[in-house]
């Protein structure tokens, strides 16, 4: 028997559980639904008509009337670079005039210009700059986010970024899990000495990150001109020795074999994959690695999208994330990401919604806790003002989310 409910959400036009066994179709839709929670966890979902019969509520339990709005799991954004100082709107303009992302990076712009600004900022300043961005994420329905370091590139500056992530997670409603991305770029002082920088990441940064328990994951930008597959393997294997799960940038601009490496090291996710070989993705599937696709990046950079349908044919699990960052994807809205996935990568609306919920949770190794509205999981619930769930991606560029609950608590409302 469950604990008596302390929260009841009534009158949900469609409740999208993302659990096929709990409702209709692959999204487990309950038409005319209701939900009950206790101590921040879902204890019951079902047709509203059965609620009074099946759920015992505690005296003084909170009741929310959804007013016919749809209910769905909070979004899980499994790939963000939320913490950074400064901005790079000038590069955006340069690209519109024909400059490439890697060309700009080679000219000292790109990641390194954000590194300069981030090194100059203190921890409090990084938190202050990230706060309004995080509030925007939350208002658009993101209740859990992965947040990377990678704009510090010294031990002290990487730790500073991760401490900023920790501070945000402790003080803000969005649940944050940090990804140590010290191998995001080779800093200027190591130019031409990439292996020596990898030594620093492996011998100094990773132990410090692990000792201070500042990250759950380890990332590396495995890319032509940045870190090779062999260097990425070193970073990821060292991370594993410190208990950090691999979640990394793979085959974004050039086919290097990042997908194959992800399978080899049994990463939680391989991300981007614009240029991944479907054979590599098939190996990911066999190794249980989630493919995290970031259509906002292709959109923002004006590049061809990842061949998502070819990936799906391998049976791999596809997550969708924002890649929110100042250079290649300055967009926090996962509803818009769903639209891009449907229109440009030909995901079905169901696949797109699973991508930002349950599959996002898999990409973070958190599928037992979040990503669907199954009894026992956290009560991370969105109410959205649309006639039916398909409008989430169909009516695009608008924020449909009106209320956000994190662990049963109302944390955003408009
Ligand atoms: O995911 N690829 C590397 N990292 C980011 C870009 C970060 C930046 O440009 O600041 C990405 O695209
Ligand atoms: Fe990224």
């Amino acid at each position: 028997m469950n604990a008596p409910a302390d929260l009841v959400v009534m009158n949900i036009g469609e409740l999208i559980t993302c659990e096929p066994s709990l409702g209709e179709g692959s999204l487990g839709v309950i038409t005319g639904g209701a939900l009950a929670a206790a101590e921040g966890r879902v204890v019951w979902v079902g047709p509203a008509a059965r609620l009074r019969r099946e759920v015992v509520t505690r005296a003084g339990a909170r009741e929310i009337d959804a007013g016919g709005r749809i209910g769905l799991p909070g979004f899980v954004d499994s790939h963000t670079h939320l913490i950074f100082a400064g901005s790079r709107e000038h590069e955006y303009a340069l690209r519109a005039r024909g400059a490439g992302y890697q060309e700009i990076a080679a000219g000292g712009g790109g990641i390194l210009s954000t590194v300069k600004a981030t090194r100059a900022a203190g921890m409090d300043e990084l938190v202050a700059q990230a706060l309004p961005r995080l509030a925007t994420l939350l208002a658009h329905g993101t209740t859990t986010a992965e947040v990377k370091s990678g704009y510090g590139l010294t031990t002290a500056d990487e730790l500073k970024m991760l401490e900023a992530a920790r501070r945000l997670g402790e003080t803000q409603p969005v649940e944050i899990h940090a990804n140590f991305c010290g191998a995001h770029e080779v800093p200027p002082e190591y130019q031409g000495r990439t292996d020596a920088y990898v030594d620093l990441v492996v011998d100094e940064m990773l132990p410090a990150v692990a000792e201070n328990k500042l990250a759950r994951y380890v990332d590396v930008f495995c890319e032509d001109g940045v870190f090779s597959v062999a260097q990425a393997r070193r970073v990821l294997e060292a991370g594993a020795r410190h208990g950090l799960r691999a979640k990394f940038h793979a085959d974004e601009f050039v086919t290097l074999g990042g997908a194959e490496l992800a399978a080899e090291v049994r990463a939680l996710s391989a991300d981007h994959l614009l240029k991944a070989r479907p054979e590599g993705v098939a190996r990911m599937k066999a190794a249980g690695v989630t493919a995290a696709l970031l259509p906002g990046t292709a959109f923002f950079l004006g590049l061809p999208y990842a061949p998502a349908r070819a990936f799906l044919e391998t049976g791999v699990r596809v997550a969708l994330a924002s890649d929110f960052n100042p250079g290649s994807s300055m967009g926090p809205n996962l509803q818009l990401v769903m639209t891009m996935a449907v229109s440009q990568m030909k995901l079905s609306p169901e696949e797109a919604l699973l991508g930002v919920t349950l599959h996002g949770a898999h990409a973070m190794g958190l599928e037992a806790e979040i990503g669907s509205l199954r009894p026992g999981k956290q009560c991370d619930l969105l109410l959205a003002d649309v006639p039916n769930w398909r409008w989430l991606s169909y009516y695009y560029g608008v924020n449909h989310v009106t209320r956000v609950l994190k662990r049963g608590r109302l944390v955003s409302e408009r």
Side-chain angles (χ1 to χ4, degrees):
M1 188 61 204
N2 285 318
D6 53 25
L7 169 73
V8 167
V9 185
M10 296 291 298
N11 199 9
I12 304 174
E14 283 177 339
L15 180 57
I16 318 305
T17 64
C18 292
E19 291 285 346
S21 62
L22 297 177
E24 293 287 315
S26 59
L27 295 179
V29 178
I30 303 171
T31 306
L35 171 148
E39 285 154 12
R41 289 187 183 267
V42 176
V43 291
W44 183 91
V45 290
R50 298 213 317 248
L51 176 81
R52 298 291 168 213
R53 241 181 305 140
E54 297 184 10
V55 176
V56 181
T57 48
R58 180 175 301 173
R62 171 159 202 182
E63 277 209 22
I64 294 178
D65 183 348
R69 291 185 181 78
I70 72 157
L72 67 155
F75 295 141
V76 181
D77 195 342
S78 64
H79 185 134
T80 85
H81 305 252
L82 179 82
I83 296 176
F84 57 85
S87 60
R88 287 167 28 209
E89 60 275 28
H90 51 285
E91 290 178 15
Y92 183 54
L94 284 176
R95 274 199 304 278
R97 300 213 306 260
Y101 177 82
Q102 286 159 301
E103 193 183 327
I104 289 172
I111 293 176
L112 288 180
S113 73
T114 300
V115 168
K116 212 170 171 187
T118 303
R119 285 180 174 180
M123 204 270 278
D124 292 337
E125 180 57 29
L126 290 180
V127 170
Q129 290 198 31
L131 272 173
R133 296 176 205 135
L134 188 59
T136 307
L137 254 72
L138 179 66
H140 286 80
T142 297
T143 48
T144 303
E146 179 258 30
V147 172
K148 298 174 195 301
S149 67
Y151 293 123
L153 313 186
T154 66
T155 304
D157 290 310
E158 287 294 305
L159 294 180
K160 177 180 76 181
M161 286 191 74
L162 294 171
E163 270 153 17
R166 170 141 81 192
R167 171 83 66 83
L168 288 170
E170 283 169 358
T171 59
Q172 301 305 309
V174 178
E175 176 177 341
I176 289 178
H177 297 282
N179 192 347
F180 166 63
C181 189
H184 194 199
E185 181 54 282
V186 182
E189 60 277 16
Y190 279 87
Q191 234 22 270
R193 295 189 296 132
T194 305
D195 280 317
Y197 183 65
V198 174
D199 290 342
L200 179 75
V201 170
V202 167
D203 298 335
E204 191 178 295
M205 293 188 190
L206 264 170
V209 169
E211 190 189 335
N212 294 292
K213 296 194 177 10
L214 282 167
R216 187 181 181 113
Y217 316 110
V218 58
D219 197 343
V220 53
F221 190 13
C222 179
E223 185 64 46
D224 190 33
V226 194
F227 298 100
S228 67
V229 168
Q231 289 162 338
R233 183 185 291 110
R234 266 190 77 198
V235 171
L236 300 175
E237 286 179 347
R241 287 196 292 277
H242 289 287
L244 305 186
R245 294 292 307 271
K247 248 180 101 48
F248 70 103
H249 290 75
D251 296 326
E252 181 174 358
F253 298 115
V254 174
T255 309
L256 274 195
E260 289 82 351
L261 177 63
E264 179 193 321
V265 302
R266 301 199 170 260
L268 268 176
S269 71
D271 301 18
H272 283 291
L273 304 172
L274 297 185
K275 298 287 177 178
R277 286 180 283 250
E279 310 86 86
V281 173
R283 284 204 219 164
M284 284 169 47
K285 149 74 186 156
V289 183
T290 297
L293 306 186
L294 316 170
T297 312
F299 170 76
F300 198 68
L301 296 178
L303 295 175
Y305 292 79
R309 290 263 45 112
F311 296 168
L312 282 161
E313 269 166 37
T314 69
V316 79
R317 193 186 298 115
V318 169
L320 295 169
S322 70
D323 196 22
F324 188 25
N325 78 75
S328 70
S329 181
M330 190 66 177
N333 182 354
L334 288 178
Q335 298 164 64
L336 182 55
V337 165
M338 275 193 268
T339 301
M340 293 174 193
V342 175
S343 295
Q344 307 299 318
M345 302 196 306
K346 311 301 175 198
L347 264 64
S348 68
E350 287 87 348
E351 288 164 340
L353 188 49
L354 284 171
V356 295
T357 54
L358 188 57
H359 295 176
H362 275 279
M364 296 182 71
L366 297 174
E367 67 276 11
E369 283 290 314
I370 55 171
S372 70
L373 296 168
R374 188 178 78 202
K377 285 199 186 185
Q378 289 184 30
C379 181
D380 295 358
L381 175 73
L382 310 180
L383 297 180
D385 201 3
V386 282
N388 62 66
W389 70 268
R390 288 192 166 79
W391 281 58
L392 288 170
S393 51
Y394 164 63
Y395 184 20
Y396 74 93
V398 220
N399 185 11
H400 299 296
V401 173
T402 53
R403 272 180 279 186
V404 181
L405 282 84
K406 179 67 187 175
R407 298 190 181 104
R409 206 162 61 82
L410 186 63
V411 290
S412 175
E413 186 169 22
R414 59 174 186 100

